[in-house]
């Protein structure tokens, strides 16, 4: 978070640390569902938590929460675009909010379970699903499948060296060409669930 706090989502709610992880303080006031699947921070200071049934948001550094307009589906991934738009990868596609989580519109991959999201510095968004990776170059409005297909993608990350990484059920794949091609680079005997 911009305050320097660390926010962690667990299966018993949200915790925050003000001392680089030395101590953790619960902040579940207003959370209806405590199984936190994803967390994202906005440049405006708001924090968003994806749960089993939607998104909650906090404007007081994870002390208390209010439900957002997305309240009917599991939210596996959250990310914030440089435009300030918020993307939610859900059990039924990608949703986008342009008003700090007040309202959400489905913008792609309808009916598809989205497990992970990552955003490149150039603004391209990658979504990991149960059959590969999709990419959007227009803030999540439209999506095209990349060169990684036929594998469950559980996590995504963008490295400082310019690679997009995909954690799959059969290891890590890496792309250096905006998702056109992917190379398996390790951990081939383990599902990779997070970066």
């Amino acid at each position: 978070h911009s305050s320097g706090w660390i926010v962690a989502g667990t299966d018993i709610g949200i915790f925050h640390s003000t001392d680089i992880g030395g101590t953790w303080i619960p902040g579940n006031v207003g959370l209806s569902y405590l199984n936190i699947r994803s967390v994202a921070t906005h440049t405006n200071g708001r924090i968003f938590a994806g749960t089993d049934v939607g998104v909650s948001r906090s404007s007081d550094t994870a002390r208390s929460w209010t439900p957002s307009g997305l309240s009917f589906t599991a939210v596996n991934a959250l990310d914030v675009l440089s435009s300030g738009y918020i993307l939610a990868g859900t059990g039924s596609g990608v949703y986008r909010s342009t008003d700090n989580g007040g309202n959400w519109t489905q913008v792609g991959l309808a009916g598809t379970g989205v497990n992970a999201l990552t955003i490149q510095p150039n603004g391209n968004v990658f979504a990991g699903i149960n059959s590969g990776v999709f990419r959007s170059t227009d803030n999540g409005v439209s999506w095209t499948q990349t060169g990684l297909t036929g594998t469950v993608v559980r996590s995504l990350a963008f490295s400082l060296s310019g690679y997009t990484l995909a954690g799959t059920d059969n290891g890590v794949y890496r792309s250096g060409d905006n998702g056109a091609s992917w190379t398996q680079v390790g951990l081939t005997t383990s599902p990779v669930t997070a970066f």
Side-chain angles (χ1 to χ4, degrees):
H1 188 266
S2 59
S3 67
W5 291 21
I6 301 169
V7 180
T10 74
D11 61 358
I12 56 170
I14 289 281
F15 291 80
H16 65 268
S17 174
T18 60
D19 59 2
I20 314 171
T23 56
W24 293 89
I25 303 161
N28 296 326
V29 174
L31 276 178
S32 299
Y33 296 90
L34 299 181
N35 186 23
I36 309 301
R37 293 172 173 252
S38 53
V39 176
T41 59
H42 198 287
T43 54
N44 65 15
R46 287 198 180 190
I47 302 170
F48 296 86
T51 72
D52 286 342
V53 294
V55 176
S56 290
R57 58 186 173 178
S58 173
S59 57
D60 61 1
T61 321
R63 292 182 184 94
S64 64
W65 299 84
T66 57
S68 79
L70 185 59
S71 58
F72 54 85
T73 185
V75 179
N76 302 317
L78 287 166
D79 221 328
V80 180
L81 296 161
S82 60
S83 63
Y85 295 171
I86 305 153
L87 294 180
T90 76
S92 57
V94 177
Y95 287 78
R96 183 178 69 186
S97 174
T98 61
D99 62 357
N100 288 310
N103 297 287
W104 296 81
T105 303
Q106 189 169 43
V107 291
L109 302 176
T112 302
V114 177
N115 303 320
L117 294 170
T118 194
I119 301 171
Q120 294 181 329
N122 65 7
N124 289 343
V125 182
F126 288 78
I129 66 169
N130 286 342
S131 61
V133 176
F134 280 75
R135 181 183 67 232
S136 173
T137 60
D138 55 8
N139 291 322
V141 174
S142 61
W143 297 83
T144 56
Q145 189 152 30
T146 70
L148 184 58
T149 62
T151 187
V152 176
V153 177
R154 301 203 178 272
S155 56
L156 291 165
F158 185 75
S159 73
L160 293 177
S161 57
Y163 289 100
T164 302
L165 302 172
T168 74
D169 274 359
N170 55 357
V172 176
Y173 286 79
R174 180 177 70 192
S175 174
D177 58 7
N178 211 22
S181 62
W182 297 80
T183 303
Q184 192 173 33
V185 292
L187 300 176
T188 58
T189 60
S190 298
V192 178
T193 57
F195 286 112

